Structure formats: structure tokens, C-alpha cells
């Protein structure tokens, strides 16, 4: 069994945290908790389950579900368990209109009793640990008191003990999902206050955390865990020190990373994927940021992005991109 108490996770991100991204991240960090993209209960019940839920990586992974029907969530949770996920999470933070039309996502913040029912259904359907990912509020319901009431109800009626809080409100009309991740200001203070008011709950903070130093600061300030989203995708290698980051030794910047091992593992993975009929760009598009901010990093990125579509079966492309860009010289 994995340590689901490790205090660092990578956020669920649609189109980004698919099985290939998670495979790559698992080669960089063994302990960080990974999340799937959100999968709706409806899709699981009607769609291709292997395609939606199949995993390629080991280690702790949480399936994020979306939905507003307790019965469908219960069934989806049961199916999720069969696919070897370690825990389940409910999305109550996504403001996209497509999601709102199904009346789930962030607009569920207005219906804490329904969220509590969904959480109970998820736990009953799976017997796995469950958590909820939500915002600090939605427009019109923005105060700390509203947030605290939401957490209280979901905890007491929904028997939920783990809350992942994106420290911004969601504005349900007029802003795109991406604007909703940058325009509403971050209110970390509200998340810290939640931890003080509910010390027995696991409170995980999310939103705007850029690196492991930021993450460590949040943990040292009393929160239980930190979830990193965009920075984990744009600059995946910040996670190379994650496994030792929360030990007494702190962040070990001197460790060298075994690129040869990673090259070999990627090549083997791509070989399998290509044999199954896959194209390498569906995997390697997630590696574009591997040398973010480093000398040669842009050349690496350009080489990879120009060639991964042209040579859709070239399993050595990652290695060649490193050699051609000189990033490791
Ligand atoms: C491309 C993209 C897709 C996202 N998809 C989801 C999703 O499926 N479920 C979810 O709960 N949040 C989703 N989010 C929100 C992130 O999980 C996270 O809450 C948000 O990006 C804030 O964290 P950050 O500032 O560390 O990126 C998505 C974010 C991005 C950038």
C-alpha cells in the first residue's frame, strides 16, 4: 500500500495529466500523489472504460470523478476500484460551462448537502479513501463563513476528512476556465484559517504554488499537504527532489538525475506504445517542459515539438532531442 499521507500531489488537469504524463512523472518522483484528469461518472458508465481509466504507471494515483448523481457516482466509484486506483476525489472546483451545464463542478459549492451525498456514495461504492477538491467559494458566496459552512456540512454529513482547497473563488459567469485560474485573487489566509478551525481534517492547499520551496513553506506553516498544478506541467523537473523534500535533510539540490535510465525507460515505453498502434507525440508532448529554464531548454523543446509529429514512431526521439540541444553538455 502506498503512503497516501505524502504531503505533495500533482493536480488533476484535463488533457494534461493523462496516463502518459503520469508515467513520465513517476520516473521523476515515486512518492508524489498523482491525480487523473477528471472523468465524469456518466462517461465511465457509458464509455470505453479501459480508455478512460487504464493506467500505465505505478505508485499512488487518485481517480478524480465529476458528477451530480449519487447513484452514478457510486457506480463509477465501484468501477474505478477495479482499475486499481488508490483513492477517489470529487471535482467541485471546475468552472467550465460544459461542466456547469451538467450542474456539477464548482457550482456544487452552492449545494453542500448534495456534495455530502455524493461523497457518501463515492465512499460506499469503492471503500477507498475519498477527498473533495473545491474552491474557497463561488461568486455570490464568497465569504469565509460560507466556506466554513461548506466544509462543516461535507465533513459531518458526507463523512469526508480530506479537503483540497483551490484558494480562489470561481466566477461562474463571464470568465473562461483559464481566466478563473488567474483572475480571482489567491486567498491563502482562508485555507490556513480552515486548518485552524478544523484541526482534525486534512487540509491540502492548491493554487499558484510554483515550486518545492513554496510547497515546503505551506507545510511548515501548518497545512497538511500541497497540490501543484500548472507548475508541475510546465516545469516537471521541479519534482526531481520531491521524494526527499519533506525529510529533515530538506531539498537536496546536489543529487544528480539519472538521465540515461530515464532515456531507456522512455524508449521501452514508447516501443510498447508504438506496437499498440500509438503515436509518440501523445507521450512526448508531455516532456516538452523537461528542461524548462535551462540552457538549451528551448532548443530541446523546439526539436521535440517539430519532430514528434513528423516521426510518429521514432522511439529514440527523446534521446536525440537531448543530444541535439546540448541540454546535458
Ligand atoms: C489544463 C488544466 C486542466 C485542468 N483540469 C482540471 C480537472 O480536470 N479537475 C480539476 O479539479 N481541476 C482541473 N484544473 C485545475 C487544477 O487542478 C488546479 O486546481 C489549478 O490549476 C490551480 O492550481 P495551480 O495554480 O497549481 O495550477 C485544471 C487546470 C489546468 C491548467
Amino acid at each position: 500500500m502506498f503512503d497516501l499521507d505524502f504531503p505533495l500531489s500533482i493536480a488533476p488537469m484535463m488533457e494534461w495529466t493523462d496516463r502518459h504524463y503520469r508515467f513520465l512523472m513517476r520516473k521523476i518522483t515515486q512518492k508524489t500523489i498523482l491525480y487523473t484528469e477528471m472523468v465524469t461518472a456518466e462517461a465511465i458508465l457509458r464509455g470505453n472504460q479501459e480508455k478512460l481509466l487504464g493506467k500505465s504507471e505505478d505508485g499512488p494515483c487518485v481517480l478524480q470523478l465529476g458528477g451530480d448523481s449519487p447513484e452514478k457516482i457510486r457506480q463509477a466509484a465501484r468501477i474505478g476500484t477495479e482499475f486499481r486506483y488508490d483513492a477517489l476525489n470529487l471535482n467541485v472546483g471546475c468552472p467550465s460551462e460544459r461542466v456547469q451545464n451538467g450542474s456539477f463542478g464548482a457550482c456544487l459549492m452552492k449545494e453542500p448537502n448534495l456534495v455530502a451525498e455524493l461523497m457518501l456514495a463515492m465512499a460506499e461504492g469503492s471503500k477507498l479513501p475519498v477527498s473533495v477538491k473545491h474552491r474557497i467559494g463561488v461568486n455570490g458566496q464568497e465569504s469565509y463563513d460560507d466556506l466554513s459552512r461548506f466544509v462543516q456540512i461535507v465533513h459531518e454529513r458526507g463523512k469526508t476528512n480530506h479537503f483540497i482547497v483551490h484558494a480562489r473563488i470561481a466566477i461562474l459567469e463571464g470568465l473562461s476556465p483559464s481566466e478563473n485560474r488567474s483572475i480571482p485573487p489567491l486567498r491563502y489566509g482562508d485555507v490556513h484559517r480552515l486548518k485552524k478551525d478544523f484541526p482534525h481534517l486534512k487540509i491540502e492547499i492548491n493554487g499558484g504554488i510554483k515550486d518545492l520551496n513554496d510547497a515546503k513553506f505551506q507545510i511548515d506553516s501548518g497545512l497538511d499537504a500541497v497540490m501543484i498544478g500548472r507548475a508541475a506541467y510546465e516545469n516537471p523537473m521541479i519534482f526531481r527532489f520531491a521524494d526527499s523534500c519533506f525529510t529533515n535533510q530538506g531539498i537536496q539540490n546536489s543529487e544528480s538525475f539519472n538521465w540515461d535510465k530515464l532515456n531507456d525507460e522512455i524508449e521501452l515505453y514508447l516501443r510498447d506504445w508504438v506496437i499498440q498502434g500509438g503515436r509518440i507525440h501523445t507521450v512526448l508532448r508531455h516532456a516538452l517542459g523537461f528542461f524548462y529554464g535551462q540552457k538549451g531548454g528551448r532548443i530541446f523543446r523546439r526539436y521535440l515539438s517539430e519532430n514528434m509529429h513528423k516521426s510518429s514512431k521514432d522511439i529514440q526521439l527523446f534521446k536525440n532531442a537531448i543530444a541535439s540541444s546540448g541540454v546535458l553538455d
Side-chain angles (χ1 to χ4, degrees), residues 10-17 36-39 64 89-95 133-135 164-168 177-178 181 186 188 206-210 227-234:
I10 296 181
M13 290 180 281
M14 296 287 279
E15 314 269 315
W16 288 6
T17 54
T36 65
E37 312 166 85
M38 176 185 75
V39 191
Q64 186 185 58
N89 174 268
L90 183 71
N91 180 350
V92 183
C94 179
K133 179 169 179 282
H134 59 97
R135 297 275 183 142
I164 304 167
V165 193
H166 183 176
R168 298 186 161 87
S178 129
R181 292 191 280 267
L186 286 163
Y188 288 160
N206 167 243
I209 315 275
K210 293 269 173 293
M227 171 179 267
I228 300 184
R230 287 162 290 185
Y233 194 82
E234 284 152 18

Side-chain angles (χ1 to χ4, degrees), residues 44-323:
I44 293 178
L45 299 181
R46 289 164 178 235
N48 178 337
Q49 291 174 357
E50 175 51 40
K51 194 156 178 252
L52 291 165
L53 299 174
K55 277 166 76 190
S56 325
E57 83 287 359
D58 300 319
C61 185
V62 183
L63 168 63
Q64 186 185 58
L65 296 175
D68 63 353
S69 149
E71 187 41 42
K72 287 182 185 161
I73 286 281
R74 189 188 329 271
Q75 291 177 35
R78 185 182 49 70
I79 296 165
T81 318
E82 290 164 13
F83 281 82
R84 298 184 298 112
Y85 287 96
D86 303 291
L88 300 176
N89 174 268
L90 183 71
N91 180 350
V92 183
C94 179
S96 104
E97 266 184 39
R98 198 160 58 85
V99 167
Q100 280 182 56
N101 288 338
S103 91
F104 56 91
C107 62
L108 280 180
M109 294 255 357
K110 294 181 183 162
E111 298 187 62
N113 286 309
L114 175 56
V115 174
E117 261 189 75
L118 294 166
M119 294 306 293
L120 283 179
M122 202 158 73
E124 278 166 22
S126 72
K127 310 278 184 285
L128 291 173
V130 294
S131 61
V132 56
K133 179 169 179 282
H134 59 97
R135 297 275 183 142
I136 53 172
V138 287
N139 50 319
Q141 192 180 299
E142 306 172 21
S143 71
Y144 176 78
D145 289 345
D146 293 325
L147 171 64
S148 156
R149 184 172 156 268
F150 174 85
V151 169
Q152 177 119 22
I153 293 175
V154 177
H155 166 55
E156 284 175 3
R157 301 196 189 151
K159 308 253 180 297
T160 303
N161 295 316
H162 181 185
F163 291 79
I164 304 167
V165 193
H166 183 176
R168 298 186 161 87
I169 63 160
I171 296 177
L172 296 177
E173 305 85 22
L175 290 191
S176 69
S178 129
E179 289 169 331
N180 253 312
R181 292 191 280 267
S182 56
I183 292 179
L186 286 163
R187 286 179 10 206
Y188 288 160
D190 287 29
V191 187
H192 286 263
R193 196 168 158 198
L194 267 187
K195 181 63 198 173
K196 288 210 176 68
D197 291 346
F198 299 91
H200 50 296
L201 298 183
K202 176 171 177 180
I203 304 291
E204 178 161 357
I205 193 167
N206 167 243
I209 315 275
K210 293 269 173 293
D211 55 31
L212 296 186
N213 284 316
D214 278 4
K216 210 163 162 12
F217 177 77
Q218 293 294 339
I219 301 292
D220 292 344
S221 319
L223 293 177
D224 298 296
V226 174
M227 171 179 267
I228 300 184
R230 287 162 290 185
Y233 194 82
E234 284 152 18
N235 190 2
M237 289 309 286
I238 58 171
F239 279 81
R240 62 196 282 191
F241 306 114
D243 293 355
S244 57
C245 168
F246 302 101
T247 58
N248 292 336
Q249 297 106 28
I251 301 173
Q252 308 266 304
N253 283 312
S254 58
E255 276 170 40
S256 64
F257 187 79
N258 190 339
W259 285 102
D260 288 338
K261 184 161 175 270
L262 182 70
N263 270 330
D264 290 348
E265 286 166 336
I266 290 182
E267 204 171 306
L268 276 177
Y269 184 79
L270 288 175
R271 175 169 302 149
D272 255 18
W273 179 237
V274 164
I275 288 171
Q276 289 171 48
R279 288 158 180 267
I280 60 161
H281 82 265
T282 50
V283 179
L284 291 183
R285 72 187 179 100
H286 299 303
L288 290 169
F290 267 37
F291 295 94
Y292 181 93
Q294 290 184 43
K295 194 163 157 275
R298 285 193 186 176
I299 307 176
F300 169 85
R301 191 184 173 93
R302 199 179 326 123
Y303 186 97
L304 203 57
S305 59
E306 278 173 6
N307 288 294
M308 66 189 176
H309 292 280
K310 281 191 223 150
S311 337
S312 66
K313 299 200 183 298
D314 178 4
I315 62 173
Q316 292 189 334
L317 189 64
F318 183 76
K319 199 188 274 176
N320 293 341
I322 289 181

